[in-house]
């Protein structure tokens, strides 16, 4: 019944309108289906209503049904233009074009309750009743009746006019009169329905437990089962089943090739999929029909992106809107803003502008838009505000002030919060939170002077201080980081112990701002360095100077620079403690340099691996990239650490020699020993044959591009080799030859050796052609051809063979001929033309075809043609002048 529907695809392509052109590149183009339900096995769609009609899909002509059918399955096409109408009380076979019709009764007593299947070729109909299935002719004559014993029985009409029956655990083929013709198979579950797929000669069977797709093949008499719960919308086309199914809470679109077992699925989430005839449609546009193959690329979801540079969208600011259409197969394609439409959801007013894919919101407040593209919708909410500029200058000094800019005459809320890492001792007067709202001046500048010093590490925050529609993103800065890794500020820390104090070195006579803090309080002051640029801090007026004291310092005349932190960590000066060698990937040992002999603790990825008093230390396994190696040691009252993250290093790599043949290249490389190598020919990875640690053979021919990559962790190095393009000739030498012409590497130096003796040499042309002349070599000797072009080589070795026995043929001259052409299988030797003992012509052979010139001879004269090779092998041909 599906054959005609597939042929109508060609017809429907002619109906495709602007909707197809609007689809973005990468999405499937839909067939335009008229509204209504596709009538099976016909070229019509059915439209319910009063009156009920059918519409011709090609011509668009509308025909009014002569009776009401009320439901879609009560109208079926016969395939020849006529349709069957299952109306109340009668069945009508109607031709919409001619309006001709025949009918027969269909009352409750006939048992013809439901039109189940049609065999148009045999003019038979299968009807389903309450407790029976009946077969009738197209005129209503009852041809056979089957009584059912259970609701879990299924009957279908086959192409040959027999009836397929699922009943009592057996699959049988029966005649329309009821007798069993053949038992095809068995089953154990309860059958809910069986759909006959004529083209596949298979049955798709639904059981009472439908967690599997069950297919019975009538040819092999075997079941095929595949886990697929709640299968719906099933179609068969070109050897593949297409359907939807449920898996957990999602719907999936599936294709399944029973013959190959190939299974493809893609989640369609909550998108509603329906089947109209032999087309799949989505709920948002039932007139867009997709073939089973094209449905993978049907758009199912619209996503919208409206990038902004601030937290909220700005009033009267134009924003470019872009869309993304997600397809059934999970891929996404871009949708330009010009293809989208936008509608304000809550009223007909338009407090916005939509133009060429750009959105401008005109007033302050919330917006909700519906964006549309090709039947897809997407709702997005926005908040638009009147933005003002807001900046915060880096705090200067330890007492502020805090300054910045915004719009003129705008309230700004400024606050300082101590860092959570600071001490909370009540003696520390810096724990208090400080804040104030200040007004910017007519130029937009705002200033606030804190009442107390704000500690390094404090957070300074500014934001618009008005509840009105004016808005700016808040800004936060940290005054000084509690870390030694802050940016350089032109001051060098020299010592950092209780014994030597905190010693700083900078520009001579410069003034340094200093803040000292401990858990008992803080002091802030400025001090000038001496003429040597040195400043030493060892004591304070009311603070104890000891381990744990923090000193912040910066140049006073560089207000924009950061404070740096020096924390007193030891009573005595730190000993020498450095890496002797930086740990690298593949290293097995580490080494440090120290001025003391205390024990070391070695950690690998925060796991203690050893305690040792000597260096270097060797690990059980080589270091890997990303390993964190930490060496810890204690000296007197202080603990010192060296930490290094193991990194990869770029390997050494070069190609020193390339040996070429017609099908292979053998590369000699120089590389870091631990670095694995990969080979690519014309961009495709190939598997090499390893000859040694430095030589590899790969499949490659002249003209190919070879890329060699060596890697050490995340670091790699590549070398590209362009093989010369040439045709490499095969060396062939026998004891008759003294000349060889062939193709080798272009512009290469070419030598021919017999053993260790060079018997010929030359230089190849830019195309690789070379000519070598040499003395004839004895049978059994080995000759070697070498072609060398910088790093590229080509070598062939051959054993000299016995020359072939010469052959000879020629044209037969007439009495008027002055030339004849002699042909041989060899290109060397002497060719002689004789009349008796008189030599008429003689010539040295250089090719396999040679022309001899001579004076004309009388008809009937007998001539002898003889070829003698350098080694004395000869052949003679005698003929008579015609």
């Amino acid at each position: 019944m599906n054959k005609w529907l597939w042929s109508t695809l060609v017809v429907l392509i002619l109906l495709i309108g602007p909707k197809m052109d609007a689809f973005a590149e990468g999405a499937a183009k839909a067939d335009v289906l008229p509204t209504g339900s596709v009538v099976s096995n016909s070229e019509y769609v059915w439209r319910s209503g009063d009156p009920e009609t059918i519409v011709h899909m090609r011509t668009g002509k509308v025909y009014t049904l002569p009776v009401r059918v009320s439901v879609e399955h009560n109208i079926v096409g016969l395939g020849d233009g006529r349709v069957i109408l299952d109306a109340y009380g009668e069945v009508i076979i109607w031709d919409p074009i001619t309006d001709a019709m025949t009918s027969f009764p269909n009352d409750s007593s006939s048992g013809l309750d439901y039109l189940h299947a049609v065999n148009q070729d045999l003019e038979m109909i299968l009807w389903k009743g309450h407790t029976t299935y009946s077969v009738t002719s197209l005129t209503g004559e009852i041809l056979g009746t089957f009584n059912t014993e259970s609701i879990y029985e299924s009957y279908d009409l086959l192409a040959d006019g027999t009836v397929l029956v699922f009943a009592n655990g057996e699959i049988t083929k029966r005649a329309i009169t009821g007798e069993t013709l053949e038992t095809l198979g068995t089953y154990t579950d309860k059958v809910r329905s069986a759909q006959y797929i004529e083209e596949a000669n298979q049955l798709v069977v639904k059981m009472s437990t439908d967690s599997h797709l069950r297919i019975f093949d009538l040819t092999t008499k075997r079941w095929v089962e595949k886990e697929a719960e709640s299968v719906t919308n099933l179609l068969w086309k070109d050897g593949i089943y297409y359907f939807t199914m449920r898996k957990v809470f999602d719907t999936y679109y599936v294709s399944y090739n029973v013959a190959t077992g190939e299974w493809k699925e893609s989640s369609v989430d909550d998108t509603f999929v329906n089947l109209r005839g032999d087309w799949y449609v989505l709920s948002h546009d039932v007139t867009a029909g997709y073939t089973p193959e094209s449905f993978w690329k049907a758009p199912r979801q619209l996503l919208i992106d409206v990038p902004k540079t601030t937290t909220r969208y700005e009033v009267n600011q134009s924003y470019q809107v872009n869309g993304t259409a997600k397809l059934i197969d999970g891929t996404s394609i871009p949708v330009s803003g010009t293809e989208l439409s936008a509608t304000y959801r809550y009223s007909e007013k338009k407090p916005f502008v939509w133009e060429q894919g750009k959105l401008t919101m005109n007033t302050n407040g919330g917006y909700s838009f519906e964006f549309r593209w090709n039947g897809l919708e997407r709702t997005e909410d926005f908040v638009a505000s009147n933005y003002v500029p807001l900046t915060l200058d880096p705090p200067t000094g330890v007492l502020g002030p805090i300054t910045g800019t915004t719009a003129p005459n705008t309230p700004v809320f400024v606050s300082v919060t101590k860092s959570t890492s600071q001490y909370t001792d009540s003696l520390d007067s810096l724990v208090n939170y400080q804040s104030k709202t200040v007004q910017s001046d007519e130029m937009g500048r705002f200033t606030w002077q804190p009442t107390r010093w704000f500690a390094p590490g404090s957070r300074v925050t500014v934001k618009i201080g008005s509840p009105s529609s004016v808005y700016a993103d808040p800004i936060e800065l940290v005054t000084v980081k509690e870390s030694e890794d802050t940016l350089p500020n032109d001051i060098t820390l020299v010592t950092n112990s209780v014994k030597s104090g905190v010693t700083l070195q900078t520009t001579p006579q410069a003034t340094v701002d200093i803040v000292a803090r401990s858990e008992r309080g803080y002091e802030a002051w400025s001090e000038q360095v001496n003429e040597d640029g040195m400043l030493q801090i060892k004591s304070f007026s009311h603070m104890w100077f000891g381990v744990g004291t923090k000193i912040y310092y910066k140049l006073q005349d560089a207000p924009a620079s950061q404070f740096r932190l020096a924390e007193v960590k030891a009573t005595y000066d730190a000993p020498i403690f450095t890496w002797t060698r930086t740990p690298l990937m593949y290293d097995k040992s580490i080494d440090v340099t120290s001025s003391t002999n205390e024990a070391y603790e070695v950690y690998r990825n925060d796991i203690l691996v050893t305690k040792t008093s000597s260096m270097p230390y060797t690990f059980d396994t080589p270091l890997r990239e990303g390993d964190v190696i930490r060496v810890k040691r204690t000296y007197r009252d202080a603990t010192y650490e060296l930490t290094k993250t193991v990194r990869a290093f770029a390997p050494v790599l070069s190609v020193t020699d390339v040996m070429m043949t017609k099908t292979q290249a053998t590369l000699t490389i120089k590389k870091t020993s631990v670095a694995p190598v990969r080979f690519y020919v014309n961009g495709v990875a190939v598997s090499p044959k390893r000859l040694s640690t430095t030589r590899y053979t790969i499949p490659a021919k002249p003209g190919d591009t070879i890329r060699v990559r060596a890697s050490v962790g995340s670091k790699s190095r590549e070398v590209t080799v362009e093989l010369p393009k040439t045709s490499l000739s095969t060396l062939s030498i026998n004891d008759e030859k003294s000349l060889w012409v062939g193709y080798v590497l272009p512009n290469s130096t070419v030598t021919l050796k017999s053993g260790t003796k060079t018997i010929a040499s030359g230089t190849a042309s830019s195309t690789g052609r070379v000519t070598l002349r040499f003395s004839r070599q004895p049978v059994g000797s080995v000759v070697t051809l070498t072609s060398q072009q910088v790093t590229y080589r080509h070598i062939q070795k051959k054993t000299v063979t016995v020359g072939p026995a010469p052959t000879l043929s020629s044209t037969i001259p007439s009495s008027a001929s002055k030339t004849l052409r002699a042909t041989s299988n060899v290109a060397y030797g002497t060719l002689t033309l004789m009349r008796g003992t008189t030599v008429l012509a003689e010539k040295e052979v250089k090719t396999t075809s040679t022309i001899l010139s001579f004076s004309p001879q009388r008809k009937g004269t007998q001539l002898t043609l003889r070829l003698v090779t350098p080694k004395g092998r000869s052949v003679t041909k005698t003929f008579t002048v015609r």
Side-chain angles (χ1 to χ4, degrees):
M1 293 175 62
N2 294 329
K3 292 180 179 178
W4 182 89
L5 284 176
W6 288 116
S7 67
T8 57
L9 280 174
V10 178
V11 176
L12 288 176
I13 289 173
L14 301 176
L15 302 175
I16 297 171
K19 178 185 294 185
M20 287 185 61
D21 298 331
F23 273 81
E25 184 178 354
K29 294 182 179 180
D31 298 323
V32 179
L33 303 179
T35 56
S37 301
V38 177
V39 177
S40 295
N41 203 34
S42 80
E43 53 189 1
Y44 295 98
V45 295
W46 170 70
R47 292 176 178 171
S48 62
D50 191 7
E52 292 180 273
T53 59
I54 56 176
V55 183
H56 196 281
M57 288 193 287
R58 181 177 58 189
T59 65
K61 189 170 182 179
V62 180
Y63 300 91
T64 300
L65 268 62
V67 292
R68 293 186 63 84
V69 297
S70 300
V71 290
E72 178 183 351
H73 60 250
N74 282 354
I75 176 172
V76 175
L78 280 176
D80 58 1
R82 295 178 297 167
V83 293
I84 302 175
L85 307 175
D86 184 6
Y88 292 107
E90 64 178 336
V91 174
I92 296 177
I93 300 175
W94 175 52
D95 188 330
I97 306 298
T98 64
D99 204 32
M101 67 181 73
T102 58
S103 64
F104 56 87
N106 180 23
D107 54 27
S108 58
S109 62
S110 68
L112 311 182
D113 298 341
Y114 175 72
L115 182 61
H116 188 69
V118 176
N119 186 327
Q120 192 270 338
D121 293 335
L122 301 177
E123 297 189 345
M124 297 166 61
I125 306 174
L126 179 64
W127 299 86
K128 182 178 181 181
H130 182 62
T131 59
T132 62
Y133 280 85
S134 300
V135 180
T136 72
S137 66
L138 294 186
T139 60
E141 177 187 359
I142 296 179
L143 306 177
T145 300
F146 300 84
N147 295 315
T148 60
E149 299 178 3
S150 168
I151 61 172
Y152 297 111
E153 295 182 13
S154 180
Y155 293 72
D156 209 340
L157 199 57
L158 300 182
D160 61 0
T162 60
V163 178
L164 187 73
V165 180
F166 281 78
N168 300 320
E170 284 190 337
I171 310 168
T172 58
K173 183 189 289 189
R174 302 184 188 179
I176 59 175
T177 55
E179 61 268 23
T180 299
L181 301 177
E182 183 181 0
T183 298
L184 303 175
T186 60
Y187 62 93
T188 57
D189 208 344
K190 297 178 179 179
V191 174
R192 293 170 55 192
S193 66
Q195 179 182 353
Y196 176 51
I197 309 298
E198 181 179 344
E199 297 86 348
N201 200 29
Q202 292 175 345
L203 293 148
V204 179
V205 183
K206 286 189 177 181
M207 300 294 186
S208 59
T209 55
D210 60 351
S211 61
H212 285 73
L213 173 66
R214 303 172 190 263
I215 300 170
F216 185 75
D217 193 294
L218 292 174
T219 302
T220 63
K221 310 298 189 300
R222 293 180 180 177
W223 284 97
V224 177
E225 293 189 13
K226 185 75 173 178
E227 186 174 353
E229 191 169 353
S230 301
V231 172
T232 54
N233 300 317
L234 184 135
L235 278 179
W236 161 276
K237 185 181 180 185
D238 297 335
I240 298 176
Y241 284 101
Y242 298 88
F243 54 89
T244 56
M245 70 173 185
R246 293 289 293 176
K247 185 191 295 186
V248 189
F249 300 108
D250 289 337
T251 299
Y252 285 77
Y253 180 59
V254 181
S255 67
Y256 178 44
N257 189 321
V258 178
T260 64
E262 184 178 358
W263 178 278
K264 178 181 178 182
E265 65 179 46
S266 181
S267 173
V268 293
D269 297 335
D270 56 354
T271 302
F272 182 72
V273 181
N274 207 342
L275 192 61
R276 290 193 61 205
D278 284 1
W279 290 270
Y280 287 106
V281 299
L282 298 170
S283 57
H284 59 262
D285 189 355
V286 296
T287 63
Y290 296 91
T291 66
E293 303 94 333
S294 69
F295 191 62
W296 293 109
K297 293 297 181 181
R300 68 170 180 82
Q301 186 182 32
L302 177 65
L303 302 177
I304 298 297
D305 179 37
V306 188
K308 60 182 184 294
T309 57
T310 51
T311 305
R312 299 188 187 181
Y313 292 94
E314 299 183 37
V315 172
N316 296 324
Q317 173 70 39
S318 180
Y319 293 94
Q320 179 65 53
V321 180
N322 293 303
T324 301
K326 196 168 185 180
L327 308 183
I328 294 292
D329 66 0
T331 59
S332 298
I333 58 174
V335 177
S336 67
T338 55
E339 298 179 58
L340 297 167
S341 63
T343 305
Y344 190 51
R345 292 187 65 191
Y346 298 120
S347 70
E348 295 182 357
K349 297 180 180 179
K350 290 189 175 181
F352 71 97
V353 175
W354 174 261
E355 187 175 16
Q356 294 298 313
K358 292 185 177 181
L359 178 65
T360 305
M361 289 165 277
N362 297 335
T363 59
N364 180 73
Y367 290 80
S368 185
F369 290 99
E370 285 185 353
F371 294 94
R372 295 182 178 87
W373 175 79
N374 282 304
L376 294 173
E377 294 183 359
R378 182 75 177 188
T379 300
E380 296 287 345
D381 296 326
F382 302 87
V383 174
S385 302
N386 295 303
Y387 259 79
V388 295
L390 180 64
T391 65
L392 172 61
D393 301 329
T396 58
V398 293
L399 293 176
I402 297 173
T403 60
T405 59
T406 184
N409 305 312
T410 300
V412 179
F413 179 74
V414 187
S415 64
V416 177
T417 308
K418 80 172 189 67
S419 171
T420 56
S421 64
Q422 291 179 354
Y423 298 101
T424 57
D425 192 290
S426 60
L427 295 176
D428 189 348
S429 62
L430 303 179
V431 301
N432 295 324
Y433 168 84
Q434 302 178 69
S435 66
K436 189 173 183 179
T437 298
V438 295
Q439 186 91 359
S440 65
D441 59 23
E442 294 182 356
M443 301 299 293
R445 191 79 181 166
F446 65 86
T447 302
W448 175 56
Q449 177 64 61
T451 58
R452 295 180 302 279
W453 172 79
F454 45 88
S458 297
R459 296 189 303 276
V460 179
T461 304
V462 297
K463 58 184 177 181
I464 297 301
S466 169
S468 68
S469 61
V470 176
Y471 185 81
D473 291 330
I475 300 176
E476 181 179 287
L477 291 177
V478 177
T479 56
V480 175
K481 298 177 181 178
E482 291 276 356
S483 169
E484 296 180 357
D485 298 328
T486 53
L487 296 174
N489 62 0
D490 297 325
I491 301 176
T492 302
L493 178 66
V494 180
T495 64
N496 190 20
S497 68
V498 176
K499 179 180 179 180
S500 300
V502 174
T503 305
L504 306 176
Q505 184 175 22
T506 185
T507 305
Q509 307 298 335
T511 300
V512 179
D513 286 339
I514 304 168
V515 178
R517 184 165 66 82
S518 71
E519 59 185 20
R520 297 187 179 183
Y522 76 95
E523 290 185 30
W525 74 97
S526 299
E527 192 167 337
Q528 189 175 32
V529 303
N530 63 23
E531 64 274 8
D532 296 324
M534 305 299 292
L535 174 63
Q536 190 177 52
I537 305 167
K538 295 189 69 173
S539 63
F540 311 112
S541 59
H542 67 276
M543 282 176 55
W544 172 75
F545 183 85
V547 176
T549 301
K550 294 183 178 181
I551 305 295
Y552 302 91
Y553 53 91
K554 65 180 287 296
L555 291 175
Q556 190 178 73
D557 59 358
S561 68
Q562 292 270 13
F563 276 95
R564 293 202 68 181
L565 167 64
E567 183 177 353
V568 180
K569 294 184 177 180
T571 302
Y572 299 95
D573 293 339
I576 296 173
F577 188 45
T578 61
W579 292 105
T580 305
R581 182 179 70 252
T582 300
L584 295 175
M585 185 177 177
Y586 292 122
D587 283 350
K588 286 200 68 174
S589 64
I590 59 170
D591 198 7
V592 298
T593 299
S594 177
S595 59
T596 61
N597 295 322
E598 280 76 6
Y600 305 94
E601 293 180 2
V602 179
Y603 295 83
R604 183 173 182 175
N605 298 325
D606 290 330
I607 298 175
L608 177 65
V609 294
T610 189
K611 290 184 179 181
T612 180
S613 58
S614 62
M615 282 288 170
Y617 170 74
T618 301
F619 294 95
D620 293 336
T621 58
L623 298 181
R624 298 186 300 269
E625 184 177 11
D627 282 352
V628 177
I629 306 302
R630 181 161 53 97
V631 180
K632 180 179 177 181
R633 56 160 301 173
T634 300
Y635 176 65
R636 293 185 175 178
D637 61 343
T639 299
Y640 303 91
E641 290 185 356
L642 295 175
T643 302
K644 186 68 69 172
T645 300
V646 177
R647 62 180 178 84
F649 55 90
V652 172
L653 179 66
S654 63
V655 177
T656 60
D657 181 72
V658 181
M659 178 68 179
M660 293 175 53
T661 68
K662 291 182 178 181
T663 59
Q664 293 182 331
T666 299
L667 280 67
T668 302
I669 64 175
K670 180 180 179 181
K671 71 176 183 71
T672 302
S673 61
V674 295
V677 289
R678 293 183 178 180
F679 296 86
Y680 302 84
V681 177
N682 300 328
V684 179
V686 297
S687 298
K689 179 181 180 181
R690 181 176 174 178
L691 306 179
S692 69
T693 57
T694 59
R695 296 182 71 239
Y696 300 84
T697 297
I698 60 175
K701 58 183 183 297
D704 285 348
T705 298
I706 300 174
R707 187 159 47 91
V708 187
R709 176 187 293 173
S711 302
V712 176
S714 62
K715 302 290 186 180
S716 63
R717 180 160 293 171
E718 289 188 356
V719 173
T720 299
V721 175
E722 301 282 351
L723 297 184
K725 189 172 184 179
T726 184
S727 57
L728 298 173
S729 300
T730 300
L731 179 65
S732 176
I733 296 181
N734 56 51
D735 62 344
E736 299 274 13
K737 282 190 174 182
S738 61
L739 173 71
W740 184 78
V741 180
Y743 285 87
V744 289
L745 300 181
N747 303 311
S748 63
T749 300
V750 186
T751 60
L752 184 66
K753 290 185 176 182
S754 177
T756 60
K757 180 181 179 181
T758 300
I759 58 175
S761 62
T763 301
S765 69
S766 59
T767 63
R769 191 174 189 274
V770 67
T771 300
L772 299 177
R773 299 181 184 276
F774 47 88
S775 60
R776 295 180 181 87
Q777 299 299 306
V779 174
S781 60
V782 177
V783 295
T784 303
L785 175 72
T786 302
S787 170
Q788 181 83 45
Q789 183 210 81
V790 192
T791 59
Y792 302 100
R793 290 188 301 143
H794 172 66
I795 298 176
Q796 292 188 52
K797 285 188 177 182
K798 294 291 181 180
T799 300
V800 176
T801 60
V802 176
T807 62
L808 185 63
S809 63
S810 73
T811 56
I812 306 300
S814 65
S815 59
S817 297
K818 296 182 179 181
T819 63
L820 64 77
R821 180 182 296 274
T823 304
S824 178
N825 62 332
V826 297
Y828 46 77
T830 302
L831 186 65
T832 306
L833 181 65
M834 303 179 68
R835 185 184 67 241
T837 59
T838 302
V839 176
L840 300 179
E842 189 175 68
K843 193 171 186 180
E844 190 72 21
V845 173
K846 294 182 180 180
T847 65
T848 56
S849 179
T850 305
I851 296 178
L852 285 178
S853 300
F854 55 93
S855 58
Q857 302 296 306
R858 287 180 297 181
K859 181 178 180 181
T861 303
Q862 189 176 44
L863 300 180
T864 301
L865 183 66
R866 187 181 187 192
L867 172 63
V868 181
T869 69
K871 287 294 184 178
R873 301 180 180 96
S874 63
V875 59
T876 302
K877 180 177 177 61
T878 301
F879 50 84
T880 303
V881 177
R882 53 186 174 81

